[in-house]
Amino acid sequence: MRSAFAAVFAALFCLGGAAALMAEDLVIETFDSAPGTRWDYVADTVMGGVSTGQARFETERGVAFARLSGEVSTQNNGGFIQVRHRLQIPVPETAAGVRLIVRGNGEEYFVHLRTKGTRLPWQYYQAEFETTGEWREVQLPFDVFAPSGSLMRKTPTPGRVVSVGVVAFGRDHSARVDIREVGFYDR
């Protein structure tokens, strides 16, 4: 089964898809091939907030990455800026969590997952990670993702995840987080 799974994802990657199966990880993004067609910038301004920012796709010393930067403000019931990717392929049920390679300005950031069951804009699953000025790998098991509401499942189900967002959230601060790779890791 695993080799059939690997063959499918290898074929998708060879055909120009953004996904590749590497070792035990499913990499969904390396930001090196038109990432602006797959990632969206969203801010609290869609709900009346006043945070400002941007998502840019850059290359530095041959390394492609996304940079989410801006000013997060909790004024007017706001408090987030986000870069989000809607998944084109389902996450394998064997996935244990989200894997990122990131660096930043030393602030804490979040990964937000939306699933087939999170239909309202304020519904998501959230897990926190820290940044340093150096690239580092972050693994976030699904069981550390907290639901944003009490009527949601306790943890997200891998096969039901439909989007992944990297978010500066919840407090007034200057944000700058670079994301070099996004994917899922296996059990």
Side-chain angles (χ1 to χ4, degrees):
M1 178 71 177
R2 183 176 298 279
S3 45
F5 181 73
V8 168
F9 282 101
L12 283 172
F13 185 74
C14 290
L15 293 172
L21 190 65
M22 301 172 72
E24 296 298 316
D25 297 333
L26 170 61
V27 177
I28 62 167
E29 185 65 74
T30 57
F31 298 99
D32 57 359
S33 177
T37 63
R38 294 178 300 279
W39 288 82
D40 296 313
Y41 171 80
V42 182
D44 58 19
T45 54
V46 298
M47 300 179 296
V50 296
S51 297
T52 59
Q54 63 181 339
R56 293 181 19 184
F57 303 102
E58 302 185 11
T59 302
E60 181 181 282
R61 295 186 202 120
V63 175
F65 59 94
R67 173 169 286 166
L68 177 66
S69 61
E71 297 298 320
V72 179
S73 171
T74 56
Q75 291 181 8
N76 209 30
N77 295 319
F80 77 89
I81 59 174
Q82 174 179 197
V83 60
R84 181 174 55 199
H85 174 67
R86 293 190 190 281
L87 300 177
Q88 302 301 307
I89 56 174
V91 177
E93 288 295 339
T94 58
V98 176
R99 180 182 164 277
L100 308 167
I101 298 178
V102 295
R103 69 179 178 189
N105 60 353
E107 294 284 346
E108 296 172 338
Y109 295 95
F110 298 87
V111 171
H112 283 188
L113 300 178
R114 291 184 54 82
T115 68
K116 293 175 183 175
T118 55
R119 303 218 183 258
L120 302 173
W122 53 85
Q123 292 179 316
Y124 52 85
Y125 292 90
Q126 173 178 280
E128 185 175 337
F129 66 92
E130 296 180 2
T131 61
T132 68
E134 302 298 319
W135 291 112
R136 71 183 198 97
E137 180 181 69
V138 173
Q139 289 189 351
L140 301 168
F142 286 122
D143 62 5
V144 302
F145 281 84
S148 63
S150 61
L151 299 177
M152 297 168 58
R153 292 177 50 93
K154 184 177 176 185
T155 59
T157 302
R160 293 183 54 82
V161 174
V162 295
S163 73
V164 176
V166 175
V167 187
F169 174 80
R171 66 191 185 288
D172 296 330
H173 68 287
S174 293
R176 195 201 85 240
V177 58
D178 297 340
I179 309 110
R180 188 173 87 191
E181 193 172 288
V182 179
F184 298 91
Y185 65 94
D186 215 346
R187 296 178 194 166

